[in-house]
Amino acid sequence: GTNIVSAAALLLGTDGNFYHVTGTTTITSIGQHPAGVGQIALVFDGALTLTHNATSLILQGAANLVTAAGDVVFVAHEGSGNWREIARGGSGTIPRPGTGAATQRRNAFISKVLGITGDTRLLWLPKNTDLTTSVSEDINARTITHAVSLASRWSALGSGVAISFDGVNDYATVPDANNLSFGNGTNDAAKSFVALVNLTADANQKTIISKRKNQATAAREWSFHFDATEKLSLLAYDDSASTYLEVDDNAVLTSGVWTLVVGTYDGSRAFPGLSLGVNAAARTLVNNGSGTYIAMENLTYQVTIGVQFDSSGVAGGLFNGSMAFVLACAKQLSLDEQWAIKAAVNEFYGLAL
């Protein structure tokens, strides 16, 4: 049929059952097809989002689909303008979440990353089956509780999925555990944090992952975040002494694009032991530590993703943008190891970082 221009309500032609869809406008529904043709094939000429709807546009895995050029989606009309996806494919298409091939790729991605990071204490890797709940699990079966339902916050990213954070009230919490602390008050252990993020610039600090309550004492261990000017930052706190090690990126991170960020620390209890990486490239660092630092302490406080709380429980430092995974491990990651993680990320998520 004649090419169709993408629109929120996609208007089908009357001249066939195979259409190219042009443009990048998000599609939330499909108009009723002419009588006699119950199934159609849509070939997407570029990147756009097909929005899952449990009644009117039912997609595989109950997840939104972000298309790439050449993706093909086959849908069947169920009557009354309601459509159901029955298959997807296309030349060079990466298997999408909800398919057996995507699950195999997910398992392979986990295996590759854990082979690099070793003693991995937390890996939050959202999956399509989390879509209708506010609770998910990391690979260690840690319960992750989300403040806002995940149902409308997800989209496919290659064979994985990403979750959006609105900078207002989207965040998650993980219960405290001894192995989520990296110090004992006398010595520090090595640690690294890795995340795949798509940042939206705003005037606030944007937390990736943290074990820190913003108050004077008693709940500060570590934080990996962006400051209010979109500069990456890694901190280690000596809570009892109210001192800390802090390393900040000298440059602003580009917003609106997927980026692999790493904060890593060798446990030496000194500024030179902290470093930052962006897409497996070392950054120019600024030392913003304060006071005579001894070590982190093993304190009783939860881990937070996308937020930090103050002593009154008020949420702040809310992440704005999207995240596809977050990892914490007890190891300093070299640039070569970061490069290997980036290669796995590119393959699984269909990126070219």
Side-chain angles (χ1 to χ4, degrees):
T2 304
N3 289 356
I4 305 170
V5 178
S6 59
L10 189 68
L11 298 177
L12 301 175
T14 59
D15 53 350
N17 61 358
F18 186 96
Y19 298 99
H20 278 264
V21 180
T22 64
T24 59
T25 301
T26 295
I27 297 170
T28 57
S29 65
I30 301 175
Q32 188 166 333
H33 199 273
V37 181
Q39 297 182 7
I40 61 171
L42 300 172
V43 181
F44 295 91
D45 291 348
L48 58 76
T49 300
L50 277 174
T51 304
H52 168 75
N53 182 281
T55 301
S56 60
L57 186 54
I58 304 169
L59 301 179
Q60 290 183 15
N64 297 347
L65 170 63
V66 179
T67 66
D71 281 0
V72 183
V73 174
F74 300 86
V75 292
H77 189 229
E78 295 189 325
S80 302
N82 298 325
W83 295 84
R84 179 184 296 272
E85 179 188 1
I86 55 176
R88 62 179 64 165
S91 176
T93 298
I94 294 174
R96 300 297 186 176
T99 64
T103 299
Q104 291 177 352
R105 286 168 58 84
R106 184 180 191 273
N107 293 336
F109 173 72
I110 292 172
S111 180
K112 289 176 183 177
V113 171
L114 297 191
I116 299 164
T117 57
D119 183 4
T120 300
R121 306 293 177 85
L122 186 149
L123 172 55
W124 176 57
L125 182 68
K127 54 186 183 294
N128 63 295
T129 52
D130 296 332
L131 294 178
T132 57
T133 179
S134 60
V135 177
S136 59
E137 291 185 347
D138 89 320
I139 59 155
N140 297 314
R142 299 186 191 280
T143 299
I144 300 175
T145 302
H146 301 268
V148 176
S149 171
L150 307 180
S152 63
R153 297 168 53 198
W154 293 83
S155 61
L157 182 65
S159 292
V161 293
I163 180 171
S164 65
F165 291 75
D166 63 3
V168 179
N169 55 13
D170 293 340
Y171 59 83
T173 58
V174 184
D176 184 33
N178 283 331
N179 72 350
L180 294 174
S181 295
F182 297 95
N184 61 10
T186 302
N187 295 297
D188 282 345
K191 64 178 180 178
S192 293
F193 306 103
V194 185
L196 182 61
V197 303
N198 191 324
L199 186 67
T200 297
D202 63 22
N204 304 309
Q205 177 180 305
K206 291 160 281 292
T207 304
I208 300 172
I209 185 169
S210 176
K211 196 169 190 289
R212 169 196 183 192
K213 181 183 285 187
N214 285 327
Q215 65 180 55
T217 58
R220 299 170 296 179
E221 292 191 39
W222 47 262
S223 180
F224 186 44
H225 62 263
F226 294 96
D227 71 12
T229 64
E230 286 68 60
K231 293 181 179 178
L232 192 61
S233 181
L234 175 65
L235 285 86
Y237 291 90
D238 181 344
D239 188 73
S240 61
S242 293
T243 61
Y244 53 89
L245 303 177
E246 177 178 355
V247 62
D248 297 331
D249 196 337
N250 190 53
V252 172
L253 189 83
T254 302
S255 59
V257 296
W258 284 105
T259 308
L260 182 69
V261 294
V262 175
T264 189
Y265 171 48
D266 65 4
S268 62
R269 300 184 292 142
F271 164 73
L274 291 86
S275 63
L276 302 170
V278 172
N279 293 336
R283 308 296 282 180
T284 300
L285 305 177
V286 178
N287 180 1
N288 282 322
S290 175
T292 302
Y293 176 88
I294 303 300
M296 290 177 285
E297 298 162 83
N298 186 346
L299 304 173
T300 302
Y301 192 64
Q302 65 190 350
V303 168
T304 57
I305 297 173
V307 70
Q308 292 181 19
F309 294 98
D310 66 16
S311 57
S312 300
V314 177
L318 288 144
F319 188 84
N320 195 354
S322 296
M323 288 193 268
F325 79 88
V326 179
L327 177 149
C329 68
K331 178 182 181 180
Q332 182 188 28
L333 292 172
S334 69
L335 286 177
D336 285 345
E337 288 169 324
Q338 294 177 42
W339 190 271
I341 294 171
K342 183 178 77 167
V345 165
N346 283 339
E347 180 182 10
F348 179 59
Y349 290 104
L351 300 172
L353 302 178

